[in-house]
Amino acid sequence: MSLFIRKYKPGVVYNTQILWRLNSTTAETQKQGEEEEEFRVLDILQKKTRIQKKAARRADIQPDRSEKMPTDQNWGNVWPGPRSFHPSSVPLPIRQGYVPKGQAPPGKKANAELMKIPNFLHLTPPVIKTQCEAIKPFCTEWPKLLNSEEAIEKHYPVEVITSDYCHASPTIRNPLARIVTMRVKLSDLKLDSRARDKFLRLVGDKYDEKTDLVTFTADRCPVRKQNLDYVNYLLTACYHESWTVEDWEKEKCLEDMEYYDFDMHPSKKNLVNWFFMSNNKENNLSDDEIKSFDTSSIPNGVEYKNAVSELFNEGENVTTLKNYDTAVRKLLGLPEKKVVD
Amino acid sequence: MNAIRGLWRTTPLVRSVLNKITLNRQFATATIPPIKPIEEVPNTVELDKLYKRVELEMRGIDPAVLLSYSWFCIAAASNLGIEVTKSWALRKAEKERHTLLRCVHIYKKHRVQYEIRTYFRFLHLQRLTGSTCDTFLEYIERNLPEGCALKVTKVECQKMPDHLTPPQE
C-alpha cells in the first residue's frame, strides 16, 4: 500500500493496468505464466549472497623449502640444534593427530600436535656419531686389567655413591645432591676377631649380614664435599676405635659372654679330663692349657664341640638335639640309636 | 686552627713525613707474627676416578620422548665405547592424584579427580673412567629434552685408604 501511495500523484491519470499489477500478481502470472516458472521473492534488503572467493595464490611465493631439498644433503646442517617442529624444513610426510573415521590423520602443515612434542630431529644417528667423534679425545679407556667384578673389588674395595640431578627448575642446585654413601665389605677391613666384634658393635645396624657390607650415609652437611669428608671420618674413627682396647674390656668374664664359647666353659675341661682318664694318662694341664687344648686331637672331638655350641647358641630343637645325640654316641663309642618301628 | 689546616693542605711534603712517622710507630708497637713463605704444593698427578657403575634415571611427562632420549643415550654410549648393561622402563606411570569436590560448597558425594603422571626410564652403564663419565654426562645433559629430568647416580670405586691399617705396638 505504501508503494501505492508513493507512486500515486494526484492529477496524473494512471494506467489502470499498472496499478492492478502492483496490487496483485495474479494478472501477471496469467500473462507470463509459461516464461517465468519460479516465484521471485521480493528482495527488500538487497542482501548479496556471499560467495567464498578462492584466495588467489600469489605468484611470488616460493614453493616449500622441503620440496626443493636434495636427497643427499647433510641433515645436520639443515637442523643443527633443538627447535620446535617446522613443516617446511622437514621433507618427511609426517602425520600426527586425531584420526576421524575413514580419514587420514592431519598432515604436517599447521599441526599443533607436532609442534608441542619435543623432537629429536637434531640428534640423528650420523649427527650423534660425528659429535661423539668430536668429544672422544676427552675420554679415557677403562684399565684393561680391571675386567671383572672380582678384580675391581679386590683392588678398589671402597664404594662411594653420589647422585647428580639435572632438571628444569629455577635453581640448578638440588639439595639431594649432597648425600654421600660409602660402602665397604667388612671382610676387606683388616680386623682381628676382637676388633671385628667391637667394630660391629660400633656400627650397629649399618652392617648388613647378608651382603657383608658396612654402609655409611651422610646427609647432615650442606655440601657434598663435607659429607664425603664426614663419611671418611666415620670409617676411620670406627676402625681405629675398634682396635683400641680399654681397661674395662679385660674384665669380661664367662658370665658376660653373649654367646656360648666351648673353649671357655667347664665342658671342655670335662672333655679333656675324660679323654686323659680313658687313655690312662696323667692330666697335669693347667686351666689355660686346657682352654688352648686342641679338640681335634680327640677322636670325634670337633663334632662334639660343634654340637654342644650349636645346642647352646641356637637353642634346643629337633636337629640340634639329634646332632648332640649322635656326637655323644660317637665320642663315647656307644652304638647308634635304634629306630623303633 | 684554620692556619694550621691551610698549612697541612699546602705542604704535601710535611704531610708525608708525618704520615711516615705515625705509620712507623704503629708497626713498632704491634707484634707481627713472622710470615712464613708459602710451601710449594708437591706435584702430584691427579688420578682419574673410576666409576664402577653409573645409573641414569629419567623421568618425564611423555613416555615417547623418554624412549627417544634413551635411544639417544644408548647411541652416544656405544659411539664412545661405554658398556650399557640395562635399559628398562616402569610398566605403569607414577600417578599423583588430587580429589576435589565437583561443586565448591555442597554435594559431597560428587567429586572430580585430577592426576599428574610421571613416566620413568632407567639406564645402567658400566665401567667408566672419570673423564669419560664427565664427557658423556655433559653431552647427554646438554641434549636433555624439555619436560624431562635426569638423575645420575655414580658408584665410584676407591682404593682402601692407607691409614686403615692395624696399629703396630
Side-chain angles (χ1 to χ4, degrees):
Chain A
M1 200 58 210
S2 60
L3 194 68
F4 176 71
I5 294 160
R6 213 194 302 161
K7 293 259 180 184
Y8 177 72
K9 285 174 185 170
V12 178
V13 181
Y14 258 86
N15 192 350
T16 47
Q17 208 186 353
I18 294 167
L19 272 176
W20 183 246
R21 205 207 261 176
L22 280 166
N23 281 337
S24 166
T25 49
T26 46
E28 200 185 5
T29 44
Q30 274 169 359
K31 272 186 186 173
Q32 307 168 340
E34 292 120 52
E35 292 165 23
E36 264 187 59
E37 286 173 22
E38 217 174 313
F39 181 81
R40 197 164 59 86
V41 185
L42 186 62
D43 190 8
I44 296 171
L45 292 175
Q46 307 248 317
K47 251 189 183 174
K48 280 179 186 172
T49 51
R50 282 188 184 172
I51 306 160
Q52 246 189 339
K53 273 189 183 174
K54 260 200 168 177
R57 196 172 173 148
R58 278 171 61 194
D60 56 336
I61 286 183
Q62 297 276 321
D64 245 6
R65 189 175 155 216
S66 63
E67 287 161 24
K68 292 198 295 181
M69 284 178 177
T71 49
D72 57 343
Q73 66 179 342
N74 186 357
W75 175 248
N77 295 343
V78 179
W79 200 282
R83 185 192 176 199
S84 61
F85 185 80
H86 196 267
S88 53
S89 312
V90 183
L92 300 169
I94 302 171
R95 290 175 172 277
Q96 173 72 40
Y98 174 70
V99 187
K101 205 174 182 185
Q103 288 183 37
K108 66 177 177 179
K109 287 197 175 172
N111 191 338
E113 291 298 322
L114 283 172
M115 295 200 286
K116 277 192 268 180
I117 191 164
N119 61 52
F120 282 77
L121 290 167
H122 59 294
L123 292 172
T124 49
V127 172
I128 297 175
K129 198 173 181 185
T130 49
Q131 288 177 348
C132 284
E133 288 300 318
I135 58 174
K136 210 160 192 178
F138 303 111
C139 298
T140 48
E141 229 176 274
W142 180 262
K144 278 176 186 167
L145 290 173
L146 290 176
N147 51 7
S148 67
E149 284 295 308
E150 293 82 46
I152 297 171
E153 270 182 23
K154 189 186 168 196
H155 295 285
Y156 297 92
V158 183
E159 277 181 15
V160 177
I161 303 168
T162 49
S163 290
D164 293 334
Y165 296 83
C166 180
H167 47 60
S169 141
T171 169
I172 58 166
R173 322 237 170 254
N174 192 325
L176 291 173
R178 76 186 191 280
I179 300 171
V180 176
T181 307
M182 177 187 261
R183 291 200 301 194
V184 198
K185 271 207 167 175
L186 188 65
S187 51
D188 291 327
L189 294 171
K190 288 166 199 153
L191 294 167
D192 64 356
S193 61
R194 196 207 61 84
R196 185 176 182 278
D197 183 53
K198 195 169 178 185
F199 188 82
L200 286 185
R201 283 160 196 273
L202 285 173
V203 296
D205 59 352
K206 292 186 177 73
Y207 174 68
D208 184 12
E209 270 184 40
K210 284 178 189 168
T211 51
D212 193 37
L213 283 170
V214 184
T215 312
F216 292 107
T217 305
D219 56 354
R220 53 172 65 188
C221 306
V223 181
R224 178 187 291 174
K225 179 75 170 64
Q226 297 170 340
N227 277 319
L228 187 64
D229 288 345
Y230 180 64
V231 152
N232 274 319
Y233 158 74
L234 274 184
L235 179 66
T236 314
C238 285
Y239 183 81
H240 287 288
E241 188 55 39
S242 63
W243 272 104
T244 55
V245 184
E246 303 287 338
D247 293 335
W248 45 266
E249 283 180 41
K250 289 165 194 161
E251 293 167 13
K252 188 179 179 183
C253 59
L254 195 62
E255 282 77 33
D256 299 328
M257 291 300 287
E258 69 279 11
Y259 60 94
Y260 183 86
D261 192 1
F262 183 75
D263 292 334
M264 288 174 72
H265 271 264
S267 308
K268 172 137 191 197
K269 198 178 177 183
N270 294 342
L271 177 71
V272 174
N273 284 341
W274 169 82
F275 177 65
F276 279 106
M277 292 260 285
S278 60
N279 288 351
N280 294 323
K281 278 184 195 170
E282 285 273 318
N283 184 4
N284 301 323
L285 298 174
S286 65
D287 281 1
D288 286 336
E289 279 171 330
I290 285 174
K291 273 181 189 172
S292 58
F293 190 81
D294 192 9
T295 343
S296 55
S297 61
I298 305 168
N300 299 316
V302 181
E303 206 178 329
Y304 176 73
K305 178 191 166 183
N306 290 341
V308 174
S309 324
E310 238 177 46
L311 190 66
F312 279 100
N313 283 333
E314 287 183 25
E316 287 183 14
N317 56 39
V318 180
T319 47
T320 51
L321 279 175
K322 200 179 172 188
N323 284 341
Y324 180 68
D325 177 40
T326 47
V328 171
R329 277 168 191 277
K330 271 186 187 172
L331 183 75
L332 299 178
L334 296 173
E336 280 187 29
K337 194 178 185 181
K338 281 174 192 169
V339 183
V340 183
D341 292 326
Chain B
M1 196 61 205
N2 274 338
I4 298 165
R5 212 175 278 161
L7 188 77
W8 182 256
R9 242 180 252 135
T10 47
T11 52
L13 195 127
V14 174
R15 196 162 51 181
S16 65
V17 168
L18 277 174
N19 272 345
K20 264 182 191 169
I21 291 161
T22 49
L23 276 176
N24 282 340
R25 245 183 228 154
Q26 275 176 0
F27 273 119
T29 48
T31 51
I32 306 158
I35 300 161
K36 285 178 191 170
I38 298 163
E39 285 176 24
E40 276 191 21
V41 181
N43 259 337
T44 49
V45 183
E46 196 190 339
L47 291 173
D48 222 356
K49 287 177 179 176
L50 291 175
Y51 293 107
K52 196 190 268 187
R53 205 164 56 246
V54 173
E55 295 162 9
L56 307 179
E57 180 194 308
M58 310 153 201
R59 46 171 81 191
I61 48 166
D62 201 323
V65 173
L66 285 184
L67 183 64
S68 300
Y69 185 62
S70 74
W71 281 347
F72 158 68
C73 291
I74 292 169
S78 64
N79 278 323
L80 291 175
I82 300 166
E83 280 179 72
V84 180
T85 46
K86 277 187 210 164
S87 165
W88 79 96
L90 291 187
R91 204 166 64 80
K92 282 182 180 174
E94 194 177 85
K95 289 166 190 165
E96 194 189 327
R97 290 209 174 95
H98 300 276
T99 314
L100 306 173
L101 292 184
R102 188 184 287 266
C103 176
V104 185
H105 299 301
I106 50 171
Y107 304 131
K108 204 173 178 188
K109 279 186 183 174
H110 301 82
R111 297 183 178 232
V112 274
Q113 214 170 41
Y114 296 98
E115 68 183 24
I116 304 166
R117 297 187 184 178
T118 313
Y119 293 88
F120 285 82
R121 217 169 164 86
F122 301 92
L123 199 69
H124 281 197
L125 308 167
Q126 201 188 29
R127 289 175 201 164
L128 291 90
T129 55
S131 48
T132 310
C133 185
D134 288 346
T135 317
F136 176 71
L137 287 182
E138 180 86 27
Y139 181 45
I140 270 183
E141 281 169 3
R142 276 174 189 274
N143 285 307
L144 192 69
E146 304 92 314
C148 293
L150 185 70
K151 178 190 177 185
V152 185
T153 306
K154 300 186 224 172
V155 182
E156 191 195 341
C157 50
Q158 291 180 347
K159 277 189 174 166
M160 187 65 82
D162 294 330
H163 54 265
L164 290 189
T165 44
Q168 281 133 16
E169 280 167 30

